[in-house]
């Protein structure tokens, strides 16, 4: 009995050491390579955004507010009649006007904005020209619509993964490996810039006189969008 117990303890210890060996081996990785691949495409800026505004001043703040409200309500009603256009009210600000010498309030100035969005450039251009009879142009910009963005990202994801796999195979062949496995892979989309701003209004050639409603000429262009695939592969050697 006295010699049996130590032998059992030694056997148990040996088995424990053997059982831990695979775990230690799993923590060691060989022939790992970091790779990067990228896919890109031109995406149309298919969303037009126009900001119009009205601005006025008056010594009576209440009368000024009523004037601005009347002007905006008329424009909103006109915009709502064009179903292809999405209407969003923008900022509205009112601030006092001071006398330079006495620093007393001598009047008020107020500005209200109307933001219009559409993928139908013709419809929004026509509406913009009509509304400019009473409102002023704040800005015109073009960007990528959400639906178009999602479609392009889905396509780029497949292209980026395929490009990464092709580069991984190239690296494996160069090292003389018989295969590889992907350890990790990160995908990142790049290239959706800030909306393209139009600095000035361009009117169609031969547009009618200014007492009628000229229609802005638009050219949105495209944006180059890319998706990168950054990852690590483990090459299996011969």
């Amino acid at each position: 009995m006295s010699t049996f117990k130590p032998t059992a303890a030694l056997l148990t210890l040996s088995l424990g050491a053997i059982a831990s060996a695979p775990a230690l081996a799993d923590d060691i990785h060989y022939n790992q390579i970091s790779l990067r691949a990228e896919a890109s495409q031109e995406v149309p800026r298919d969303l037009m955004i126009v900001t119009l505004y009205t601005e006025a001043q008056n010594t009576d703040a209440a009368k000024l507010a009523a004037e601005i409200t009347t002007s905006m309500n008329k424009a909103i009603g006109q915009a709502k009649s064009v179903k292809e256009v999405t209407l969003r009210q923008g900022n509205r600000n009112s601030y006092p006007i001071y006398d330079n010498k006495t620093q007393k309030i001598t009047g008020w100035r107020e500005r209200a904005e109307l933001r219009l969005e559409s993928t139908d450039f013709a419809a929004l251009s026509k509406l913009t020209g009509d509304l400019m009879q009473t409102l002023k142009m704040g800005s015109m910009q073009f960007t990528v619509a959400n639906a178009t963005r999602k479609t392009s990202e889905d396509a780029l994801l497949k292209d980026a993964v395929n490009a990464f796999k092709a580069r991984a195979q190239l690296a494996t062949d160069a090292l003389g490996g018989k295969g590889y496995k992907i350890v990790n892979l990160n995908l990142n989309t790049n290239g959706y810039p800030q909306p393209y701003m139009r600095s000035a209004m361009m009117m169609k050639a031969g547009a009618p006189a200014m007492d009628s409603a000229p229609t802005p000429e638009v050219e949105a262009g495209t944006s180059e969008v890319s998706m990168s695939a950054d990852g690590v592969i483990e090459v299996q050697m011969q």
Side-chain angles (χ1 to χ4, degrees):
M1 294 294 292
S2 60
T3 59
F4 178 75
K5 288 183 178 179
T7 304
L10 179 60
L11 179 61
T12 302
L13 179 61
S14 299
L15 290 174
I18 294 171
S20 64
L24 292 173
D26 288 343
D27 291 337
I28 301 174
H29 301 282
Y30 298 98
N31 304 313
Q32 288 192 353
I33 305 173
S34 297
L35 295 174
R36 177 185 176 87
E38 190 172 277
S40 63
Q41 64 177 207
E42 291 290 327
V43 180
R45 299 188 190 102
D46 57 347
L47 181 65
M48 179 178 175
I49 304 171
V50 173
T51 301
L52 302 170
Y53 71 94
T54 182
E55 189 173 32
Q57 67 181 54
N58 198 310
T59 56
D60 189 317
K63 290 182 179 180
L64 175 61
E67 178 186 347
I68 294 293
T69 298
T70 299
S71 180
M72 290 301 295
N73 285 346
K74 180 180 178 181
I76 290 171
Q78 193 171 350
K80 283 182 176 180
S81 66
V82 183
K83 62 181 181 179
E84 296 86 0
V85 175
T86 299
L87 170 65
R88 304 184 190 280
Q89 283 188 265
N91 297 324
R92 180 166 178 169
N93 300 299
S94 177
Y95 52 92
I97 300 173
Y98 295 93
D99 181 87
N100 291 332
K101 294 182 179 179
T102 64
Q103 292 302 306
K104 292 183 178 180
I105 296 175
T106 58
W108 295 85
R109 177 172 289 275
E110 188 166 341
R111 173 183 170 125
E113 295 179 344
L114 185 63
R115 180 185 171 99
L116 306 171
E117 301 177 1
S118 182
T119 56
D120 188 331
F121 291 0
L124 181 50
S125 295
K126 175 63 168 59
L127 175 62
T128 299
D130 294 342
L131 290 175
M132 285 183 65
Q133 296 298 300
T134 55
L135 302 180
K136 297 178 181 178
M137 170 69 74
S139 67
M140 177 189 294
Q141 54 189 332
F142 300 90
T143 188
V144 179
N146 289 335
T148 305
R149 182 189 304 253
K150 184 180 184 305
T151 299
S152 67
E153 286 180 350
D154 290 346
L156 282 172
L157 187 148
K158 295 180 181 179
D159 292 342
V161 170
N162 288 334
F164 183 87
K165 290 166 65 178
R167 181 156 291 187
Q169 187 61 56
L170 183 64
T172 300
D173 295 341
L175 289 173
K178 63 178 181 179
Y180 71 89
K181 64 178 181 179
I182 297 176
V183 178
N184 63 66
L185 182 63
N186 298 307
L187 298 170
N188 297 288
T189 305
N190 306 295
Y192 287 107
Q194 293 295 320
Y196 168 66
M197 303 286 293
R198 290 293 297 271
S199 60
M201 288 285 294
M202 295 179 62
M203 303 306 172
K204 285 185 176 180
M210 289 305 292
D211 57 349
S212 59
T215 300
E217 184 179 274
V218 298
E219 183 178 349
T222 62
S223 292
E224 181 176 341
V225 180
S226 64
M227 180 172 288
S228 61
D230 298 274
V232 175
I233 64 169
E234 187 171 286
V235 177
Q236 301 171 359
M237 302 304 295
Q238 298 285 355

